[in-house]
Structures are given as C-alpha cells and as structure tokens.
Amino acid sequence: ATLTVRVTDAAARISINDDAVATGSFENTLVDAGALRVHVTAPGYAAQAREVPEASPRPCFLPAPRR
C-alpha cells in the first residue's frame, strides 16, 4: 500500500504507527498493509492524529491545526 501525507509546515513531523517516518510532506510512500495511525506534530500547532482504515480508497484529511 502507498500513503501520501501533505502538510503546510515543512517542519511538521509525521509518524505512522508510532514510528517517525518523515519531516514535511511525502507522497506515494510504501507502507505496511492494514490500518494505520498517522500522527502529525509541528512547533506552535496542536498535534493531529488520524486512523486510516485498511485499503481506504478515499483521501483522509486531518483538520488544519490551530496555533
């Protein structure tokens, strides 16, 4: 399976299933099949997390973080 995460803050840290995977956006990254927990943090913003169900064909958007 592949996953794309786009962020507006290049310093945002992205974790998948509690493993740090990137800083800033990434696209079409190969990930383990199955449900995923995506967690995004950035200085000055509230942390955001989302469960992505297995084989989800639809985009899953996190709300814009608030400072």
Side-chain angles (χ1 to χ4, degrees), residues 9-29:
D9 187 329
R13 293 179 306 277
I14 302 167
S15 298
I16 299 174
N17 296 340
D18 298 322
D19 293 322
V21 295
T23 299
S25 298
F26 65 90
E27 296 198 20
N28 298 319
T29 301

Side-chain angles (χ1 to χ4, degrees), residues 5 7 9-15 20-24 38-43 48:
V5 177
V7 296
D9 187 329
R13 293 179 306 277
I14 302 167
S15 298
V21 295
T23 299
V38 179
H39 190 251
V40 180
T41 60
Q48 300 291 314

